[in-house]
Amino acid sequence: STWGHLSPTMSRATIVFALLAIAAVVFGEAQLIVQKELVSKTLVAEKETTISFSVFNVGDSAAHEIKLSDVAFATGNFEVVAGDASASWEILPAGTNVTHTYVVVVQHAGPDAIPAASVEYRSVAGGDVRVAKSSAYGRVFVSALGIFERLQAAKSSDWMKFAALASGPLLLPFLVHAYVASNFDDGLANGKRVGKSKRA
């Protein structure tokens, strides 16, 4: 079954998610799940990377005074160049979600870490502050700009070669057809057709 192919970590995360959602419904409280995603799949030094957040309220009531903070990540090797590493919302109704993005530039190549962001909120109006943690990437490797550009150039060259080879079988029939259409008429060469007309 599909469940049998899940990793132990994924299975535990799925179980925890389900239990939290059930508990939130039973007790009539808000319950937030936070997803953090790097829109750019490859981290490259000196290039922009977009960080995207989705905050889901899987509970049975609205969440209040929601405050997202990713400041711990957007420091050091990551410089914010667009947007903000924090955001806030007054209320998030049950069964809805909000999104937030900002852009960073990675300063240096090499190993680094992408920690989880935190979201503070109140599960009921005037209630205690709760904290939800986003998904985290953990340790990552940032590619050097020069190496990344060389790899991209190599890929482009390979694609151009492939396109040239792939276009050959398609282009050849077209050239043959064009040659025949311009040099033959009803199966006879144009010169022979003219000579036949004169004899007639």
Side-chain angles (χ1 to χ4, degrees), residues 2-3 5 8 21 23 35 63-64 68 71 76 79 95 99 112 120 138 141 146 158 160 166 176-178:
T2 303
W3 180 265
H5 292 290
Q35 181 182 26
H64 301 265
L68 165 69
V71 177
E79 178 186 359
T99 59
D112 214 308
E120 295 182 352
F141 187 83
D158 290 342
M160 291 178 65
V176 171
H177 174 75

PDB file of all heavy atoms in Angstrom, residues 2-3 5 8 21 23 35 63-64 68 71 76 79 95 99 112 120 138 141 146 158 160 166 176-178:
ATOM      1  N   THR A   2       0.256   2.426  -0.269  1.00  0.00           N
ATOM      2  CA  THR A   2       1.008   3.674  -0.267  1.00  0.00           C
ATOM      3  C   THR A   2       1.569   3.962   1.107  1.00  0.00           C
ATOM      4  O   THR A   2       2.696   4.432   1.265  1.00  0.00           O
ATOM      5  CB  THR A   2       0.086   4.838  -0.699  1.00  0.00           C
ATOM      6  OG1 THR A   2      -0.441   4.526  -1.987  1.00  0.00           O
ATOM      7  CG2 THR A   2       0.864   6.132  -0.763  1.00  0.00           C
ATOM      8  N   TRP A   3       0.793   3.680   2.148  1.00  0.00           N
ATOM      9  CA  TRP A   3       1.255   3.920   3.510  1.00  0.00           C
ATOM     10  C   TRP A   3       2.523   3.142   3.816  1.00  0.00           C
ATOM     11  O   TRP A   3       3.430   3.617   4.486  1.00  0.00           O
ATOM     12  CB  TRP A   3       0.141   3.523   4.479  1.00  0.00           C
ATOM     13  CG  TRP A   3       0.513   3.722   5.927  1.00  0.00           C
ATOM     14  CD1 TRP A   3       1.020   2.805   6.783  1.00  0.00           C
ATOM     15  CD2 TRP A   3       0.404   4.936   6.670  1.00  0.00           C
ATOM     16  NE1 TRP A   3       1.237   3.362   8.009  1.00  0.00           N
ATOM     17  CE2 TRP A   3       0.870   4.658   7.971  1.00  0.00           C
ATOM     18  CE3 TRP A   3      -0.025   6.215   6.363  1.00  0.00           C
ATOM     19  CZ2 TRP A   3       0.891   5.628   8.961  1.00  0.00           C
ATOM     20  CZ3 TRP A   3      -0.001   7.175   7.359  1.00  0.00           C
ATOM     21  CH2 TRP A   3       0.457   6.879   8.642  1.00  0.00           C
ATOM     22  N   HIS A   5       4.946   2.541   1.989  1.00  0.00           N
ATOM     23  CA  HIS A   5       6.148   3.087   1.373  1.00  0.00           C
ATOM     24  C   HIS A   5       6.597   4.387   2.015  1.00  0.00           C
ATOM     25  O   HIS A   5       7.605   4.947   1.636  1.00  0.00           O
ATOM     26  CB  HIS A   5       5.888   3.341  -0.120  1.00  0.00           C
ATOM     27  CG  HIS A   5       5.716   2.069  -0.904  1.00  0.00           C
ATOM     28  ND1 HIS A   5       6.760   1.212  -1.150  1.00  0.00           N
ATOM     29  CD2 HIS A   5       4.609   1.511  -1.462  1.00  0.00           C
ATOM     30  CE1 HIS A   5       6.310   0.169  -1.865  1.00  0.00           C
ATOM     31  NE2 HIS A   5       5.016   0.336  -2.052  1.00  0.00           N
ATOM     32  N   PRO A   8       9.695   6.340   8.023  1.00  0.00           N
ATOM     33  CA  PRO A   8       9.254   6.467   9.419  1.00  0.00           C
ATOM     34  C   PRO A   8       9.003   7.915   9.802  1.00  0.00           C
ATOM     35  O   PRO A   8       8.045   8.228  10.508  1.00  0.00           O
ATOM     36  CB  PRO A   8      10.427   5.860  10.194  1.00  0.00           C
ATOM     37  CG  PRO A   8      11.051   4.903   9.234  1.00  0.00           C
ATOM     38  CD  PRO A   8      10.918   5.548   7.893  1.00  0.00           C
ATOM     39  N   ALA A  21      -5.091  17.747  14.248  1.00  0.00           N
ATOM     40  CA  ALA A  21      -6.328  18.192  13.600  1.00  0.00           C
ATOM     41  C   ALA A  21      -7.553  17.663  14.344  1.00  0.00           C
ATOM     42  O   ALA A  21      -8.520  18.390  14.567  1.00  0.00           O
ATOM     43  CB  ALA A  21      -6.347  17.735  12.149  1.00  0.00           C
ATOM     44  N   ALA A  23      -7.684  16.716  17.525  1.00  0.00           N
ATOM     45  CA  ALA A  23      -7.764  17.350  18.843  1.00  0.00           C
ATOM     46  C   ALA A  23      -8.336  18.758  18.728  1.00  0.00           C
ATOM     47  O   ALA A  23      -9.139  19.195  19.561  1.00  0.00           O
ATOM     48  CB  ALA A  23      -6.373  17.407  19.478  1.00  0.00           C
ATOM     49  N   GLN A  35       3.970  25.600   6.601  1.00  0.00           N
ATOM     50  CA  GLN A  35       4.848  25.003   5.590  1.00  0.00           C
ATOM     51  C   GLN A  35       5.805  26.071   5.074  1.00  0.00           C
ATOM     52  O   GLN A  35       5.385  27.132   4.625  1.00  0.00           O
ATOM     53  CB  GLN A  35       4.037  24.439   4.427  1.00  0.00           C
ATOM     54  CG  GLN A  35       4.900  23.784   3.347  1.00  0.00           C
ATOM     55  CD  GLN A  35       4.065  23.273   2.189  1.00  0.00           C
ATOM     56  OE1 GLN A  35       2.985  23.795   1.935  1.00  0.00           O
ATOM     57  NE2 GLN A  35       4.553  22.277   1.483  1.00  0.00           N
ATOM     58  N   ALA A  63      -8.051  31.401  14.486  1.00  0.00           N
ATOM     59  CA  ALA A  63      -6.833  31.752  15.213  1.00  0.00           C
ATOM     60  C   ALA A  63      -6.714  33.275  15.233  1.00  0.00           C
ATOM     61  O   ALA A  63      -7.135  33.956  14.294  1.00  0.00           O
ATOM     62  CB  ALA A  63      -5.610  31.142  14.528  1.00  0.00           C
ATOM     63  N   HIS A  64      -6.131  33.812  16.306  1.00  0.00           N
ATOM     64  CA  HIS A  64      -6.045  35.252  16.478  1.00  0.00           C
ATOM     65  C   HIS A  64      -4.598  35.694  16.700  1.00  0.00           C
ATOM     66  O   HIS A  64      -3.777  34.935  17.221  1.00  0.00           O
ATOM     67  CB  HIS A  64      -6.902  35.691  17.679  1.00  0.00           C
ATOM     68  CG  HIS A  64      -8.349  35.324  17.551  1.00  0.00           C
ATOM     69  ND1 HIS A  64      -9.301  36.202  17.061  1.00  0.00           N
ATOM     70  CD2 HIS A  64      -9.006  34.170  17.842  1.00  0.00           C
ATOM     71  CE1 HIS A  64     -10.485  35.598  17.065  1.00  0.00           C
ATOM     72  NE2 HIS A  64     -10.342  34.371  17.538  1.00  0.00           N
ATOM     73  N   LEU A  68       4.174  35.564  12.200  1.00  0.00           N
ATOM     74  CA  LEU A  68       5.192  34.708  11.582  1.00  0.00           C
ATOM     75  C   LEU A  68       6.558  35.364  11.696  1.00  0.00           C
ATOM     76  O   LEU A  68       6.705  36.561  11.421  1.00  0.00           O
ATOM     77  CB  LEU A  68       4.855  34.484  10.104  1.00  0.00           C
ATOM     78  CG  LEU A  68       5.960  33.925   9.205  1.00  0.00           C
ATOM     79  CD1 LEU A  68       6.266  32.480   9.573  1.00  0.00           C
ATOM     80  CD2 LEU A  68       5.557  34.029   7.734  1.00  0.00           C
ATOM     81  N   VAL A  71      13.177  35.444  11.133  1.00  0.00           N
ATOM     82  CA  VAL A  71      14.327  36.336  11.280  1.00  0.00           C
ATOM     83  C   VAL A  71      15.612  35.560  11.546  1.00  0.00           C
ATOM     84  O   VAL A  71      16.695  35.933  11.082  1.00  0.00           O
ATOM     85  CB  VAL A  71      14.073  37.363  12.402  1.00  0.00           C
ATOM     86  CG1 VAL A  71      15.301  38.244  12.611  1.00  0.00           C
ATOM     87  CG2 VAL A  71      12.863  38.222  12.063  1.00  0.00           C
ATOM     88  N   GLY A  76      23.008  36.601   8.626  1.00  0.00           N
ATOM     89  CA  GLY A  76      24.253  35.918   8.316  1.00  0.00           C
ATOM     90  C   GLY A  76      24.467  35.775   6.824  1.00  0.00           C
ATOM     91  O   GLY A  76      24.669  36.749   6.109  1.00  0.00           O
ATOM     92  N   GLU A  79      20.759  37.483   2.945  1.00  0.00           N
ATOM     93  CA  GLU A  79      20.379  38.896   3.041  1.00  0.00           C
ATOM     94  C   GLU A  79      19.008  39.114   2.397  1.00  0.00           C
ATOM     95  O   GLU A  79      18.789  38.752   1.243  1.00  0.00           O
ATOM     96  CB  GLU A  79      21.415  39.769   2.337  1.00  0.00           C
ATOM     97  CG  GLU A  79      21.065  41.250   2.345  1.00  0.00           C
ATOM     98  CD  GLU A  79      22.025  42.084   1.524  1.00  0.00           C
ATOM     99  OE1 GLU A  79      22.985  41.501   0.955  1.00  0.00           O
ATOM    100  OE2 GLU A  79      21.826  43.305   1.440  1.00  0.00           O
ATOM    101  N   GLY A  95     -10.260  26.364   8.692  1.00  0.00           N
ATOM    102  CA  GLY A  95     -10.349  25.817   7.343  1.00  0.00           C
ATOM    103  C   GLY A  95      -9.789  26.711   6.261  1.00  0.00           C
ATOM    104  O   GLY A  95      -9.995  26.439   5.075  1.00  0.00           O
ATOM    105  N   THR A  99      -0.712  33.046   2.867  1.00  0.00           N
ATOM    106  CA  THR A  99       0.634  32.832   2.346  1.00  0.00           C
ATOM    107  C   THR A  99       1.472  34.088   2.526  1.00  0.00           C
ATOM    108  O   THR A  99       0.939  35.198   2.643  1.00  0.00           O
ATOM    109  CB  THR A  99       0.613  32.454   0.855  1.00  0.00           C
ATOM    110  OG1 THR A  99      -0.020  33.498   0.116  1.00  0.00           O
ATOM    111  CG2 THR A  99      -0.148  31.153   0.639  1.00  0.00           C
ATOM    112  N   ASP A 112      25.384  25.117   4.653  1.00  0.00           N
ATOM    113  CA  ASP A 112      24.637  26.056   5.488  1.00  0.00           C
ATOM    114  C   ASP A 112      23.430  25.329   6.063  1.00  0.00           C
ATOM    115  O   ASP A 112      23.238  24.140   5.805  1.00  0.00           O
ATOM    116  CB  ASP A 112      24.201  27.277   4.678  1.00  0.00           C
ATOM    117  CG  ASP A 112      24.192  28.553   5.520  1.00  0.00           C
ATOM    118  OD1 ASP A 112      23.568  28.532   6.602  1.00  0.00           O
ATOM    119  OD2 ASP A 112      24.817  29.549   5.106  1.00  0.00           O
ATOM    120  N   GLU A 120       3.569  32.496  16.162  1.00  0.00           N
ATOM    121  CA  GLU A 120       2.846  32.657  17.422  1.00  0.00           C
ATOM    122  C   GLU A 120       1.386  32.991  17.121  1.00  0.00           C
ATOM    123  O   GLU A 120       1.097  33.723  16.171  1.00  0.00           O
ATOM    124  CB  GLU A 120       3.466  33.773  18.268  1.00  0.00           C
ATOM    125  CG  GLU A 120       4.870  33.481  18.740  1.00  0.00           C
ATOM    126  CD  GLU A 120       5.412  34.603  19.628  1.00  0.00           C
ATOM    127  OE1 GLU A 120       4.719  35.654  19.726  1.00  0.00           O
ATOM    128  OE2 GLU A 120       6.487  34.435  20.204  1.00  0.00           O
ATOM    129  N   GLY A 138      16.899  21.912   7.161  1.00  0.00           N
ATOM    130  CA  GLY A 138      18.115  21.417   7.793  1.00  0.00           C
ATOM    131  C   GLY A 138      19.356  21.848   7.029  1.00  0.00           C
ATOM    132  O   GLY A 138      19.441  22.956   6.504  1.00  0.00           O
ATOM    133  N   PHE A 141      23.496  22.739   0.823  1.00  0.00           N
ATOM    134  CA  PHE A 141      24.764  23.177   0.236  1.00  0.00           C
ATOM    135  C   PHE A 141      24.480  24.268  -0.784  1.00  0.00           C
ATOM    136  O   PHE A 141      23.630  24.110  -1.662  1.00  0.00           O
ATOM    137  CB  PHE A 141      25.502  22.014  -0.444  1.00  0.00           C
ATOM    138  CG  PHE A 141      26.889  22.393  -0.902  1.00  0.00           C
ATOM    139  CD1 PHE A 141      27.948  22.370  -0.016  1.00  0.00           C
ATOM    140  CD2 PHE A 141      27.116  22.796  -2.213  1.00  0.00           C
ATOM    141  CE1 PHE A 141      29.219  22.731  -0.424  1.00  0.00           C
ATOM    142  CE2 PHE A 141      28.379  23.167  -2.632  1.00  0.00           C
ATOM    143  CZ  PHE A 141      29.445  23.134  -1.734  1.00  0.00           C
ATOM    144  N   GLY A 146      30.037  30.613 -10.171  1.00  0.00           N
ATOM    145  CA  GLY A 146      30.793  30.204 -11.356  1.00  0.00           C
ATOM    146  C   GLY A 146      30.521  28.764 -11.745  1.00  0.00           C
ATOM    147  O   GLY A 146      30.331  28.449 -12.929  1.00  0.00           O
ATOM    148  N   ASP A 158      24.300  20.899 -24.435  1.00  0.00           N
ATOM    149  CA  ASP A 158      23.754  19.552 -24.673  1.00  0.00           C
ATOM    150  C   ASP A 158      22.383  19.624 -25.324  1.00  0.00           C
ATOM    151  O   ASP A 158      22.064  18.848 -26.232  1.00  0.00           O
ATOM    152  CB  ASP A 158      23.669  18.781 -23.350  1.00  0.00           C
ATOM    153  CG  ASP A 158      25.045  18.410 -22.814  1.00  0.00           C
ATOM    154  OD1 ASP A 158      26.005  18.430 -23.604  1.00  0.00           O
ATOM    155  OD2 ASP A 158      25.151  18.112 -21.605  1.00  0.00           O
ATOM    156  N   MET A 160      21.250  22.060 -27.239  1.00  0.00           N
ATOM    157  CA  MET A 160      21.408  22.511 -28.617  1.00  0.00           C
ATOM    158  C   MET A 160      21.827  21.359 -29.524  1.00  0.00           C
ATOM    159  O   MET A 160      21.339  21.216 -30.645  1.00  0.00           O
ATOM    160  CB  MET A 160      22.434  23.642 -28.677  1.00  0.00           C
ATOM    161  CG  MET A 160      21.942  24.943 -28.030  1.00  0.00           C
ATOM    162  SD  MET A 160      23.194  26.238 -28.055  1.00  0.00           S
ATOM    163  CE  MET A 160      23.351  26.504 -29.821  1.00  0.00           C
ATOM    164  N   ALA A 166      17.836  16.010 -33.344  1.00  0.00           N
ATOM    165  CA  ALA A 166      16.419  15.663 -33.442  1.00  0.00           C
ATOM    166  C   ALA A 166      15.755  16.315 -34.647  1.00  0.00           C
ATOM    167  O   ALA A 166      14.806  15.771 -35.216  1.00  0.00           O
ATOM    168  CB  ALA A 166      15.689  16.085 -32.163  1.00  0.00           C
ATOM    169  N   VAL A 176      13.567  17.435 -49.172  1.00  0.00           N
ATOM    170  CA  VAL A 176      13.325  16.594 -50.340  1.00  0.00           C
ATOM    171  C   VAL A 176      12.035  17.017 -51.038  1.00  0.00           C
ATOM    172  O   VAL A 176      11.970  17.137 -52.270  1.00  0.00           O
ATOM    173  CB  VAL A 176      13.257  15.107 -49.938  1.00  0.00           C
ATOM    174  CG1 VAL A 176      12.790  14.256 -51.108  1.00  0.00           C
ATOM    175  CG2 VAL A 176      14.620  14.642 -49.451  1.00  0.00           C
ATOM    176  N   HIS A 177      11.006  17.263 -50.249  1.00  0.00           N
ATOM    177  CA  HIS A 177       9.725  17.690 -50.816  1.00  0.00           C
ATOM    178  C   HIS A 177       9.869  19.027 -51.537  1.00  0.00           C
ATOM    179  O   HIS A 177       9.329  19.208 -52.642  1.00  0.00           O
ATOM    180  CB  HIS A 177       8.684  17.797 -49.711  1.00  0.00           C
ATOM    181  CG  HIS A 177       7.373  18.367 -50.180  1.00  0.00           C
ATOM    182  ND1 HIS A 177       6.479  17.639 -50.929  1.00  0.00           N
ATOM    183  CD2 HIS A 177       6.831  19.615 -50.025  1.00  0.00           C
ATOM    184  CE1 HIS A 177       5.434  18.390 -51.212  1.00  0.00           C
ATOM    185  NE2 HIS A 177       5.627  19.597 -50.687  1.00  0.00           N
ATOM    186  N   ALA A 178      10.586  19.961 -50.943  1.00  0.00           N
ATOM    187  CA  ALA A 178      10.776  21.267 -51.554  1.00  0.00           C
ATOM    188  C   ALA A 178      11.553  21.150 -52.863  1.00  0.00           C
ATOM    189  O   ALA A 178      11.236  21.823 -53.853  1.00  0.00           O
ATOM    190  CB  ALA A 178      11.496  22.199 -50.583  1.00  0.00           C
TER     191      ALA A 178
END
